[in-house]
Each structure stands twice: as C-alpha cells, then as structure tokens.
Amino acid sequence: MNFADLALAEPIFRALAEKGYAEPSPIQAAAIPPALAGNDVLGLAQTGTGKTAAFALPILHRLAANPKHRLKISTRCLVLAPTRELASQIAASFQAYGKYMKLSVSVVFGGVPIGRQERALFPGVDVLVATPGRLLDLVMKGALDLGHVEMLVLDECDQMLDLGFVHDLKRITGLLPKTRQTMLFSATLPPAIEELSQRYLKNPVKVAVQPQATTVDKVVQSVVHVSQPEKLALLAHLLKQDDVERSIVFSRTKHGADRIVRQLAANKIAAEAIHGNRSQAQRTKALTAFRSGELTVLVATDIAARGLDIPEVSHVFNYELPNVPEQYVHRIGRTARAGRNGQAVALCAPDERGLLKDIERTIRKPLAVQPLPGDFRDLVGLAAKNIKLAPPEPEREERGDFGRRPGGNNGGRRETSYGARPARDPRVAVRPDGRPGGRPEGRNEGPRPAQARDGQRRQNQGQRRSPAGR
Ligand code: AMP
C-alpha cells in the first residue's frame, strides 16, 4: 500500500511527499481507512511506529473534505495527551502534515500564562491539542466551548484513562457532543483499562499491529545488577562509553532526577533534568537543547516516558526501574526510533528484583544480564571520593502533567502526581462486582490526586464563570 491508495486530500499528500514518507507504516495502513470512514478506532501499536500520523492524517482529510467557518472559542478536533511536551509534539505534527491546508492548530497546557492561550482560542481553531487540566481551566474561564467538537483523540489512552486523569476526562467528555468520532491510541493497554475505554467508544474498529506491550525489536535491552550506592558511578561510567551519543536517564522521582544531575556534574558530565517541579521555561529549554544535540544527557521522570520523538537518542538508562511495568515499555521506546538502533540498560538494585520480574513478564522475555565492568569497583573507589551520596528521599513517582492551578506558573510548588504504586497493584482498581473503578488496593491514604484537584477546582469555581453561565 502507498499513500495514494489511501486517497488523502492533495495538500496532505503533498506534505507527506515533502517529508519523504514513502508508504504508510503498518499502524497507519490499518487505522487510516476505518478512521477515514468515520469509525471510532482503538489503535494499539508500538511506540515510534507512526501513531501520530495514524490519527492526524484522517482527521486532516476529514477537515479538508468538509470545510466549515471557524466558530469563536470552538474547535472541531480535540486531541488530549498526558504531558505538555507530547502535546506540543503532536501539535507540531498536525502543523507539518497540514502545512498546505488553511489550518489553525493550537496547543494548550499548564505551567505557562493562560492569557495567550485564551487569545489563540478566541477566533476558533480546527485542531486543539491539550493536557486535561489546562483545558478544563479554559472551559471554566469561558474561553473554550467544547460543544462543536467533531473528533476526539486520546493519545497514550491507557494513561489518560488511568486514575490521575480519568476524573478530568469524564468531565471533558461530558461537555462534548454525543455524536462524534473518537479515536484512542496507545502502545500498551492493560485489560482493565481496555474495558474502561469501551465507555468512550461506539462500535470501535480495533487495530493492533503488534502484540501488546512488546518492545521494539531494534532496542537492544540489558540489565546490570548493581547495589544502590554504586549506581551513580556505574551510570557515569556507562555514559562515558564511546557508543553513547545521546541518552535519557529515567529516575523514579523528581528529587532523584535533580540529584542525578548534580552528581553527574561532579563527574564532569553535563546533564539537565526535566520533571514536574521545573518551570515550563526550564523544561522547554532542556528539551530544545537535547533535541538540537547541544545537551547529550537528559535526566527525566516518567513525564518524558511517552511519545517523545527524538530520533538521535542512542541510549535509555533506567536508573531506577519503574513501578508500573508498562512504563518500561514506554521509556525504552524513546530510543531506536525512525528505523535507527538503540540500547536500553536497566540498573537493577537488589530491592528492585521484583520490579524486574514484573517487567520481564510484561515484555515476555528476560533481559540479558550485562556484567559489571571489570575495572568498575576501582572506578567506584575513585568516583566515590567525588560523589556525595544523599540518602534516598521518600517521594512519589511522577508520570504525567496534571492541571496546575490557574494563573499559570506553579511558583515552584509541587505538581500533583500519581502516588507510587506497589509493584503488583492492578492498574485500575476493580470493584467487588468486577467492574473497573474505585481505588487501587492499598491506597486508602487521603484523597486521590484527581479528587484533591477537583476539590480545589470546585473552590475556585465560585470565582469563575461556569461554562453553563457563559
Ligand atoms: P510517532 O510514532 O508518531 O511518534 O512517529 C515516529 C516517527 O516516525 C516520527 O519521526 C515520524 O515523523 C516518523 N513517521 C511516521 N510515519 C511515517 C511514515 N509513513 N514513513 C516514514 N516515517 C514516518
């Protein structure tokens, strides 16, 4: 199959030819025809296989085939994504594929002033890409009316349907017209979340081009067993290997990421952190420098685990193993993109062996064990003189961007995040009757993040115009 067989509108076809796309990727070949026909779609494909175009191209075609005047403060297509960086990247893809169309694309997310976003939405847009928290803030300010949405996409839908977002998602979908096309895409979809996804879809066409949760074959994966105090020296050693060109180091927590950056600096390795406690300006600056190659080591929490497309990433280091095994699949998908090779190395401390087993069960294969480098203990001896090992701090794991408080910058306050999950907890709690929902087991402490946020939002609501009162 080639793009001509898909009969996409000429301006889209021209943009694809200019980008050098010769033929649709398997997920595109499978998802585009039913999407063009107006069906709801549930798309499962490994990361880096062209998922964005799989939903963007049919949307652009449908917009081109049925041009309409833009309505003020409205959008015809809404794409929701879990992080700001992913939202920006998706908006850039729409712009690239739609560059020969008269298209208006906007992206909105928290952490930056809201005024500019309000002004961009005022004349109405064709495509709006958003993180859920800021989207609701704009709705409640009366700056956005979701009543004219014709197409809805949830990218990384398993995360969007998970506990941290599902509450916002319910409120958003409640504001959308019932008659619409909905498309859900992800690389992983645990069964309980897939069941939940059915609530948002009508007679969907399910397209899955790879077995779920498999990792991209081109990623060479390995694990090094190492004690926690030796991890930093090992990381510094690995980062200095010749074949390591550009790497992302994943830390489980925000403070942990900062600590790694400081300790790498003490080892003369320049790195920048990206996580929810950094300002949006800092996050954007770090990612831009990393994309351009000016910065070669990015230390990130799981907010960078999904969707980011930087083809030059040669290595992913899992400094700590993720508590949720599917996150491993997303993390290592940041390498071996666009046909390149990539390596993923997990640094596994003795107390992480259970997490490693969970990961191996999820990806259905064992990771190759890489021995500690022969001279490593000597190196540790040397490096340890420079490295001050801070005691581990209890902190919550971070996986996505949740609505910051209106008014933009968080002023350095903690961003709401998922609680760290015990390794074997189900992704979604199952009620006694077997339906998904409620709290995961063992999380009876305090309100859920979404509830806490919502409570705060309800308080704020008194000071704002409600959408109904607009
Ligand atoms: P995604 O999975 O959407 O993040 O896309 C991964 C990478 O594949 C991006 O760099 C896209 O530009 C590229 N890509 C997407 N579709 C195609 C295609 N049909 N041919 C060549 N490259 C593509």
Side-chain angles (χ1 to χ4, degrees):
M1 184 188 273
N2 58 40
F3 279 112
D5 299 325
L6 293 172
L8 294 166
E10 191 280 332
I12 305 172
F13 191 71
R14 208 175 345 142
L16 293 174
E18 201 177 285
K19 275 187 88 66
Y21 290 8
E23 54 186 35
S25 69
I27 184 68
Q28 291 162 4
I32 293 175
L36 284 174
N39 292 293
D40 281 5
V41 174
L42 176 61
L44 294 173
Q46 290 170 319
T47 186
T49 54
K51 270 190 291 131
T52 316
F55 59 78
L57 300 181
I59 286 171
L60 291 172
H61 178 89
R62 296 192 75 202
L63 291 172
N66 181 16
K68 285 185 188 168
H69 280 297
R70 285 178 203 124
L71 298 174
K72 281 204 173 74
I73 64 163
S74 295
T75 181
R76 294 182 66 187
C77 168
L78 175 64
V79 182
L80 295 174
T83 66
R84 301 167 192 176
E85 286 75 13
L86 187 53
S88 298
Q89 191 177 285
I90 295 169
S93 295
F94 269 97
Q95 254 142 2
Y97 301 138
K99 71 184 274 196
Y100 294 116
M101 291 169 61
K102 286 199 185 95
L103 188 74
S104 165
V105 180
S106 254
V107 56
V108 298
F109 46 69
V112 291
I114 200 166
R116 208 180 312 146
Q117 298 175 351
E118 285 181 63
R119 287 192 291 283
L121 292 177
F122 185 73
V125 296
D126 300 307
V127 177
L128 177 62
V129 189
T131 53
R134 176 56 63 92
L135 186 86
L136 281 170
D137 289 340
L138 284 158
V139 168
M140 285 191 290
K141 277 185 130 239
L144 176 65
D145 174 2
L146 293 176
H148 301 278
V149 170
E150 298 164 35
M151 293 166 271
L152 168 71
V153 178
L154 305 185
D155 194 20
E156 305 296 344
C157 68
D158 58 337
Q159 191 172 356
M160 302 303 294
L161 294 167
D162 205 348
L163 284 170
F165 283 117
V166 76
H167 205 67
D168 281 350
L169 197 62
K170 266 193 208 147
R171 300 179 61 202
I172 292 168
T173 48
L175 299 168
L176 300 175
K178 293 239 166 342
T179 309
R180 60 167 195 263
Q181 180 180 27
T182 305
M183 294 191 256
L184 271 50
F185 279 83
S186 186
T188 54
L189 196 61
I193 302 265
E194 178 163 357
E195 196 186 317
L196 197 59
S197 74
Q198 298 304 323
R199 296 186 193 170
Y200 295 87
L201 294 163
K202 278 193 201 133
N203 304 322
V205 176
K206 182 172 170 180
V207 291
V209 296
Q210 287 285 341
Q212 253 191 64
T214 51
T215 46
V216 182
D217 290 340
K218 296 195 85 170
V219 184
V220 178
Q221 302 171 57
S222 60
V223 58
V224 189
H225 292 285
V226 59
S227 71
Q228 191 66 40
E230 288 174 324
K231 273 192 178 181
L232 197 275
L234 176 63
L235 177 68
H237 175 79
L238 293 172
L239 285 171
K240 286 177 183 162
Q241 302 304 297
D242 288 344
D243 61 338
V244 179
E245 291 162 18
R246 221 174 294 181
S247 3
I248 305 184
V249 177
F250 280 102
S251 152
R252 207 181 294 152
T253 67
K254 297 177 258 192
H255 291 301
D258 287 336
R259 199 163 48 234
I260 294 169
V261 168
R262 284 197 303 275
Q263 293 177 336
L264 287 178
N267 279 256
K268 300 195 170 37
I269 297 173
E272 285 274 353
I274 155 168
H275 56 66
N277 278 357
R278 303 210 81 198
S279 71
Q280 190 52 40
Q282 290 170 320
R283 278 163 69 161
T284 306
K285 189 164 162 259
L287 199 58
T288 306
F290 188 64
R291 265 189 209 282
S292 73
E294 197 185 310
L295 177 74
T296 56
V297 182
L298 189 70
V299 183
T301 57
D302 274 332
I303 62 167
R306 290 183 179 243
L308 287 190
D309 181 40
I310 302 171
E312 295 81 7
V313 173
S314 63
H315 286 70
V316 166
F317 294 100
N318 279 296
Y319 190 78
E320 280 128 6
L321 302 190
N323 280 344
V324 177
E326 284 85 5
Q327 280 305 100
Y328 174 83
V329 178
H330 293 286
R331 286 180 179 188
I332 72 161
R334 296 315 102 223
T335 184
R337 295 185 74 82
R340 299 191 188 211
N341 295 320
Q343 291 195 40
V345 184
L347 277 56
C348 180
D351 65 350
E352 292 176 302
R353 297 263 166 98
L355 299 177
L356 178 65
K357 284 233 156 53
D358 288 344
I359 289 166
E360 291 178 332
R361 203 174 304 123
T362 301
I363 64 171
R364 296 174 209 134
K365 62 177 178 191
L367 296 188
V369 177
Q370 200 182 311
L372 276 175
D375 52 354
F376 175 69
R377 305 267 170 198
D378 300 339
L379 288 168
V380 175
L382 288 175
K385 289 187 187 129
N386 294 329
I387 299 165
K388 208 164 160 246
L389 290 163
E393 295 161 43
E395 204 208 346
R396 291 185 161 200
E397 193 176 354
E398 178 178 63
R399 292 180 56 212
D401 280 312
F402 304 96
R404 288 189 175 199
R405 297 276 44 85
N409 205 313
N410 234 12
R413 270 179 287 128
R414 245 183 88 101
E415 208 162 348
T416 318
S417 66
Y418 278 79
R421 232 177 245 147
R424 273 166 241 272
D425 266 4
R427 299 290 311 264
V428 164
V430 177
R431 295 196 180 102
D433 61 3
R435 285 183 299 131
R439 289 174 185 215
E441 283 162 20
R443 294 195 60 206
N444 293 329
E445 67 307 328
R448 289 206 307 246
Q451 287 171 326
R453 194 167 61 255
D454 199 46
Q456 175 71 52
R457 202 170 262 134
R458 265 198 298 275
Q459 272 180 14
N460 293 337
Q461 219 165 341
Q463 295 141 27
R464 301 184 210 165
R465 265 188 300 166
S466 74
R470 197 168 55 240

